[in-house]
Amino acid sequence: MKGAATSGSADRTVPGGALGATSVPAALVRLRELALRRAATARRRLTVVHGVLRARWLRSLQLRVITTTLIISAVVVTLLGFFLMQQITSDQLQAKELQAGNVVDNGLITTELVPGVLWPPNGATTQDVVVSIVKKLLPPADSESPYAVGVWLAPGYSGRAFRAGETAGVVLAQIPGPLVTKVNELQKRSQATPSFTFTSMSYPSAANGPVAGLVYGVPVGQYYQLYYFFPLTQVQQTLGQIQRTFLLAGIVLVFLFSAIAALVTRWVVTPVRRAARGAQRLSTGNLDERMPVRGVDELAALAASFNEMAASLQEKMTALQDLSQVQRQFVSDVSHELRTPLTTIKMAAEVLFENRGQLDGPASRSAEVLQSQLDRFESLLTDLLQISKYDANVEVLDPEPVDICDLARHAADVAQQLAERRGAKIEFRLPAEPCVAEVDRRRVERILRNLLVNAVEHGEGRDAVVTVAGDSDAVAVSVRDYGIGLAAGEERLVFDRFWRADPARARTTGGTGLGLAIALEDARIHGGWLEAWGEPGRGSVFRLTLPRAAGVEVSGSPLPLGPDEAGLADRPATAGPVAANGAAGTNGSAAAKNPAGANGPAAASRAGANGAGTGAEPPAGVESGGR
């Protein structure tokens, strides 16, 4: 340890050591990783913000109109303000040039009248001349447009005089060279024409820094040159004030245009939003929804058209409801009225059936067929009466705490007879603990009987598997068969009344075609789900999910809707005895809650489960439909 510490100390102190060669790249790598993480975080936040803004932009027509108006008005006001500022600046500079030109012209006249200005420079006299010129040309003390003036000798004469000239604010060294050159050329040609240019000069003193302005130069005779400097401070102040005024007015105009666009858009969008909300309420069943009609414009026409549509829809829905009520009443009345003659016919048929041994062959067979079809007819009437009660909303629950495992075993007693004739068995996978729920025992047992009879009847001689599981909120029972399965889309149709997977098959065997429709209503009245999964050749799975407490809607199922992966392989037909009502394997471990397909009451079901089955008929009294 001591040697290691010594070595580390040496690496830290020796320049270019091993530690020094590796620590700097490691630090850079860490900084790079930190930068990448922060950049990724920033990108994610920007993506979220972009998504929110984009969604808001796409959802709101008013926002798009206001934003577009704001951008366009800002561009237009900016271009207009730029053009106006250019025009005002040009006018201000032209006015300043005109004013400065007048001052220069007047100064030239005054200078030419000074005695001695046309004489060659001769020392003291020249000094008096330039001083006199500067004093005469200085602006008044109360002048609103101050300027600077200076008089200098022409080139070649400054060395003969006492000094080069006299100035009152004009800095000779800061006069642009091209202007001086031009004045010299004009003086050589004896032309007294003023010339000017833009420049910056230390005015009124060097301490204040350069000031933008106009510099004029004009030759006076052959010996003197006159220079003026007109600062543009006032012009700049005026232009700055105008620019600030334009900026403030532009901002006000932009927001004013946006407010106008918002107001106008609101006038148009508000009725559309009202129509959208009305259509949404209309779609939920509130057929009395109407829009107020104001005026005779296009929006009023929209409201009137919406009201006409709602009134027509309400009228048609009322007619359909009345027709449906008449149909339900007709089914109920017919079912009740048929019971009396059916009872009489059944009594006579039972007499014939009991004495069929005394009849010849065809008559004996007819008595057997008559007895079986009367049983089927009675089952159909029972199912029709049950459906009519659900349609009339007169069914009520009689809940009590029940162990769903016991219900599953008891419901399998009827299906065992059919399974025994098919050479199959019913296998149970039950949890070790009871799955107690507040349910209507009669209705849940009827659901399970339907599912089990269907599973055996359409399992093609293969076993059926019943799985029960529960969690804190719900219990579930799934019935798995390995038969013909479901074609794509058929799980949406199986709960339809009298629906068949193969319409060409005559309805002479199996159930009444209403069993699963009744089972679905039984599940719904509990606040639960009845769903199914299936594939051709792989069988199907029915899952019943019920809340543990009566009156509570389920939000998830403790069993998956699809089959267990361990049971996907087709099982061979079983020729042995029927399994007992005990658990073939009590592996009641629940699947993950709310699996795929468990997010709402599915319309899923098994193909042809309401149609007639193949092979032996189910025992009498089972409401299940065949397939």
Side-chain angles (χ1 to χ4, degrees), residues 300-318:
L302 172 64
S305 300
F306 178 87
N307 294 340
E308 292 176 1
M309 179 193 68
S312 176
L313 182 61
Q314 186 177 27
E315 181 180 354
K316 294 183 182 300
M317 289 297 296
T318 302

Side-chain angles (χ1 to χ4, degrees), residues 8-76:
S9 176
D11 288 336
R12 286 194 297 269
T13 55
V14 176
L19 184 59
T22 58
S23 61
V24 173
L28 292 178
V29 169
R30 288 194 296 271
L31 289 176
R32 181 175 180 273
E33 292 176 352
L34 179 61
L36 290 176
R37 286 196 299 270
R38 292 186 177 180
T41 303
R43 282 196 299 271
R44 286 194 298 269
R45 292 178 180 176
L46 289 176
T47 302
V48 172
V49 173
H50 176 266
V52 172
L53 294 179
R54 185 174 183 273
R56 177 63 177 167
W57 174 266
L58 295 177
R59 283 199 308 265
S60 177
L61 174 63
Q62 188 174 11
L63 176 62
R64 294 199 296 272
V65 172
I66 294 174
T67 305
T68 304
T69 304
L70 182 66
I71 295 174
I72 294 177
S73 59
V75 172
V76 171

Side-chain angles (χ1 to χ4, degrees), residues 130-354:
V130 296
V131 171
S132 175
I133 293 174
V134 170
K135 289 182 178 180
K136 291 179 179 294
L137 299 181
L138 284 176
D142 56 350
S143 176
E144 296 180 357
S145 301
Y147 56 86
V149 65
V151 179
W152 282 272
L153 294 175
Y157 294 95
S158 58
R160 304 175 186 178
F162 179 75
R163 54 183 176 179
E166 185 71 17
T167 180
V170 177
V171 182
L172 180 61
Q174 295 179 352
I175 299 176
L179 178 61
V180 175
T181 303
K182 188 174 183 179
V183 171
N184 292 333
E185 292 177 354
L186 290 174
Q187 194 169 35
K188 291 178 181 179
R189 295 196 299 266
S190 301
Q191 296 179 357
T193 303
S195 301
F196 74 93
T197 187
F198 291 94
T199 188
S200 296
M201 187 173 293
S202 301
Y203 175 86
S205 63
N208 294 332
V211 176
L214 291 172
V215 176
Y216 276 80
V218 59
V220 182
Q222 297 294 324
Y223 310 110
Y224 298 92
Q225 294 178 356
L226 181 62
Y227 289 94
Y228 282 86
F229 176 72
F230 298 91
L232 298 177
T233 305
Q234 292 183 350
V235 176
Q236 289 178 331
Q237 293 175 354
T238 303
L239 293 177
Q241 184 176 1
I242 295 175
Q243 188 175 8
R244 289 191 295 270
T245 303
F246 277 179
L247 180 61
L248 180 60
I251 294 175
V252 172
L253 283 176
V254 168
F255 282 100
L256 181 61
F257 291 155
S258 301
I260 294 174
L263 181 61
V264 174
T265 308
R266 182 180 177 84
W267 286 346
V268 178
V269 171
T270 298
V272 177
R273 289 176 178 172
R274 191 180 297 116
R277 289 194 295 267
Q280 185 178 7
R281 287 192 289 267
L282 196 66
S283 66
T284 59
N286 185 11
L287 300 180
D288 295 326
E289 181 67 23
R290 297 294 185 273
M291 287 182 61
V293 181
R294 299 186 181 91
V296 292
D297 55 6
E298 291 82 356
L299 297 179
L302 172 64
S305 300
F306 178 87
N307 294 340
E308 292 176 1
M309 179 193 68
S312 176
L313 182 61
Q314 186 177 27
E315 181 180 354
K316 294 183 182 300
M317 289 297 296
T318 302
L320 290 174
Q321 289 174 356
D322 294 340
L323 178 60
S324 178
Q325 180 64 29
V326 170
Q327 291 176 341
R328 289 195 298 266
Q329 188 64 37
F330 174 77
V331 172
S332 178
D333 294 343
V334 169
S335 301
H336 281 287
E337 292 298 329
L338 287 178
R339 276 199 170 276
T340 300
L342 177 63
T343 303
T344 304
I345 296 173
K346 188 174 182 181
M347 291 174 60
E350 287 177 353
V351 173
L352 293 176
F353 184 75
E354 291 174 357

